Amino acid sequence: VLETVRAGLQRDGGDIELVEIKGTVVYVKLKGACGSCPMATLTLKNWVETNLKREIPEISAVQSV
């Protein structure tokens, strides 16, 4: 699932790195253009978290580090 999300982010000059998973929370780092974009929070919640939760319902949240 993360590879699908990564492909979308890379089209806009960004990337994502999986940092760790603690319980049901996934911690990621947005990189490239996404790391410094003022819309990064929306990208994280509306794109990354939505896609991960849709495919892996056990995930409760995605947090940026």
Side-chain angles (χ1 to χ4, degrees):
V1 177
L2 201 55
E3 289 304 315
T4 302
V5 169
R6 176 175 282 122
L9 295 174
Q10 287 176 338
R11 282 193 296 267
D12 290 328
D15 204 349
I16 190 167
E17 174 186 339
L18 175 64
V19 176
E20 70 178 313
I21 300 171
K22 283 187 181 178
T24 61
V25 179
V26 177
Y27 294 89
V28 298
K29 181 176 184 177
L30 293 175
K31 299 166 70 177
C34 293
S36 60
C37 175
M39 301 299 285
T41 301
L42 290 175
T43 298
L44 184 68
K45 293 297 177 186
N46 293 339
W47 173 250
V48 178
E49 186 174 86
T50 298
N51 279 286
L52 286 175
K53 288 170 100 174
R54 183 181 66 236
E55 297 297 323
I56 309 167
E58 297 82 11
I59 293 175
S60 63
V62 176
Q63 297 289 320
S64 180
V65 295

